[in-house]
Amino acid sequence: QKPRKATPQTGEDTLNGHLPPGWQSYMSPQGRRYYVNTFTNETTWEQPSSVPGTPKSPVKLTNSPSLLTVNGYHISGSPVHQLDSGHMSLRKTSGDHQVSFGGKAKQRKESSLTINCVTFPHPDVMPEQQLLKPSEWSYCDYFWADKKDSQGNNTVSGFEILLQKQLKGKQMQKEMAEFIRERIKIEEEYAKNLSKLSQNSLAAQEEGTLGEAWAQLKKSLADEAEVHLKFSSKLQSEVEKPLLNFRENFKKDMKKCDHHIADLRKHLASRYAAVEKARKALTERQKDLEMKTQQLEVKLSNKTEEEIKKARRKSTQAGDDLMRCVDLYNQAQSKWFEEMVTTTLELERLEVERVEMIRQHLCQYTQLRHETDMFNQSVIELVDQLLRKVDPAKDRELWVKEHKTGDIRPVDMEI
């Protein structure tokens, strides 16, 4: 899940306009307004006074739920606006995509979790998460974490699962085209056999009205053969070929997306590792500075003072390095987040397009099949009409007239 963004409330921009320089107003997830000094990282529940940098009641939120800024989202969590002897709390003062590192590890772990090197609020802290598409089961909301494979051994990223679905859909589309190809072969073979049967000479000597009906029945086979050949030809041009040609470069495009997101993830992971390394270095420098300060209290000497100045410079440099690493991490996280949303929405669009395309061409199949059946029905109806007109008496009369050998006449006998 993704963190819920702090949406500006009605009148918030107006309120910020009346705040002293450096102060910003935000709304906590619990619906309570709070204020942040972007210069000093000071937070307060009460609106600052008109004196720049000074709140009405300068009460630190040390005993209140503090706020963690992640990817442009403000969430309750570890006390990141405090500075203790072991950690430095940092906050980027510009841009929309921010992350704060600091506080005790245990508190940070309880209030947030890291997925793909991106820090999100812990579900217990933020039980209700805002989705990008609250009314839909959209790809952009449910594929941020990794998932173990069916054997439970390796893990697969959510984005890779989406890619697998796309590739599987392309394979299914190809198999549908192969299915239609087999249907075409059946039609062609069927038409060939119908045409051959229509030329069969069996019972060709039948005469009269029954002979006419029989001849029409045989002719109907030839007509059916012709329409089935047309049916198979249209299946090939209007169904099979479009299924095969749809997004010929699909797999290539999917690989391009995969490599792009994978590169962003690697870059993000390296930035995250750099932040952790810089934070560890800062902790060590602060401990070194604290130790030398304690030594100065025990024994005063110029050497100790020089060592303290040197340790203080190193500590300051470590803090600057951490701030720089955090800034680079924020940029990488922002890029990864935006590209994930954009790309998953594009995959969603392609999936909808694929399904709609297949639906339309299968509808074309059923329409062609219906037209073929209608033609066959009309051919059979003509045969039915002739069969209903079969008249044995008329046939007998015509045959007798043509083949009679003489009338029956009385014969005179001589005695």
Side-chain angles (χ1 to χ4, degrees), residues 91 186 217 285 394:
R91 182 187 184 90
I186 292 174
L217 189 149
R285 295 303 182 188
K394 183 178 180 181

Side-chain angles (χ1 to χ4, degrees), residues 3-19:
R4 178 169 57 192
K5 190 166 186 176
T7 305
Q9 304 298 313
T10 303
E12 183 171 313
D13 293 337
T14 303
L15 180 59
N16 285 334
H18 292 85
L19 292 175

Side-chain angles (χ1 to χ4, degrees), residues 41-59:
N41 292 330
E42 183 179 9
T43 56
T44 178
W45 293 113
E46 298 187 25
Q47 183 177 348
S49 66
S50 58
V51 180
T54 306
K56 290 182 178 179
S57 300
V59 180

Side-chain angles (χ1 to χ4, degrees), residues 163 166-168 170-171 246-259 350:
L163 288 178
Q166 296 292 320
L167 295 174
K168 182 179 179 181
K170 182 176 183 295
Q171 177 62 27
F246 180 69
R247 288 196 62 81
E248 294 180 349
N249 297 325
F250 185 85
K251 190 172 183 179
K252 182 179 179 181
D253 292 342
M254 290 301 99
K255 285 185 177 180
K256 184 177 180 181
C257 289
D258 187 14
H259 293 161
L350 291 176

Side-chain angles (χ1 to χ4, degrees), residues 151-169:
Q151 288 75 27
N153 300 324
N154 301 322
T155 57
V156 182
S157 71
F159 187 76
E160 289 174 349
I161 293 176
L162 285 179
L163 288 178
Q164 289 174 5
K165 176 172 176 55
Q166 296 292 320
L167 295 174
K168 182 179 179 181

Side-chain angles (χ1 to χ4, degrees), residues 63-81:
N63 296 323
S64 302
S66 54
L67 301 158
L68 175 63
T69 305
V70 178
N71 214 26
Y73 299 85
H74 299 285
I75 62 171
S76 58
S78 58
V80 296
H81 299 301

Side-chain angles (χ1 to χ4, degrees), residues 22 68 88 108 121 151 168 229 240 280 336 390 413:
L68 175 63
M88 174 179 284
R108 187 170 60 253
Q151 288 75 27
K168 182 179 179 181
L229 278 177
E240 180 200 15
K280 183 179 179 181
W336 179 80
V390 170
M413 300 294 291

Side-chain angles (χ1 to χ4, degrees), residues 2 10 63 134 184 236 298 347 366 379:
K2 298 180 294 306
T10 303
N63 296 323
I184 292 172
Q236 183 178 22
V298 176
L347 294 181
T366 59
V379 171

